[in-house]
Amino acid sequence: MRNRIFLMVIFLVSCAGPTLLTQDGAQVRQISIEDSKQCKFIEVIVTRDRGPSSGQALSDARNDLRNIIAEKGGNAFTLLDEHKDGWVDCLLDIRCGANVEAQAYLCPSLN
C-alpha cells in the first residue's frame, strides 16, 4: 500500500505542468540597478522550481518570481542570482531544479 501511495505522489509531481504567468505577473519587468534607485524596495524574493528539464525549471522559477512580485504589489525586479541544476543533478534527482533570487520593487514610472 505504501508503495502505491509513493508511486502516485511521484506520478502527480512528474505530471505537474509548467508555471504560468498570471495577468499581473506578466506586467512585472526586470530593471537595471540604476533604474531601481527611483523605485521603492519591497523585499528579496527567492523561488525554486522543478521540471522535466533544467530549462523548464528555470522558466517556471522566473514565472513564479514575477507572479509573487505582483502579489506583493511590485512591478519590477533586479536579478541577484539564477541557477539551474546540471545534468548530473538532474539524473540523480530524476527531475531538474532551478533557483531565482531577485529584489522586488514598486516603480511609479512603470505604472
Side-chain angles (χ1 to χ4, degrees):
M1 180 67 171
R2 281 187 175 177
N3 288 342
R4 272 195 198 153
I5 292 172
F6 176 74
L7 289 175
M8 286 174 47
V9 169
I10 294 296
F11 177 74
L12 291 174
V13 169
S14 66
C15 291
T19 301
L20 301 177
L21 275 175
T22 62
Q23 191 172 21
D24 290 336
Q27 302 304 311
V28 174
R29 299 288 171 247
Q30 183 173 354
I31 59 173
S32 69
I33 293 172
E34 187 65 31
D35 289 340
S36 73
K37 294 175 182 175
Q38 309 301 317
C39 305
K40 179 184 176 213
F41 174 75
I42 298 173
E43 68 182 88
V44 172
I45 308 286
V46 179
T47 61
R48 173 151 179 89
D49 274 279
R50 299 181 68 71
S53 70
S54 56
Q56 181 64 55
L58 185 57
S59 176
D60 289 350
R62 288 173 180 161
N63 287 348
D64 277 342
L65 176 77
R66 284 184 155 88
N67 291 342
I68 291 168
I69 291 170
E71 287 172 10
K72 294 187 176 287
N75 61 359
F77 68 93
T78 57
L79 190 63
L80 297 174
D81 189 36
E82 229 177 33
H83 170 79
K84 60 183 180 178
D85 290 346
W87 67 272
V88 173
D89 296 323
C90 294
L91 285 176
L92 294 174
D93 289 342
I94 301 175
R95 293 173 57 84
C96 300
N99 299 336
V100 177
E101 181 178 2
Q103 292 179 316
Y105 292 92
L106 175 59
C107 301
S109 62
L110 295 177
N111 289 334

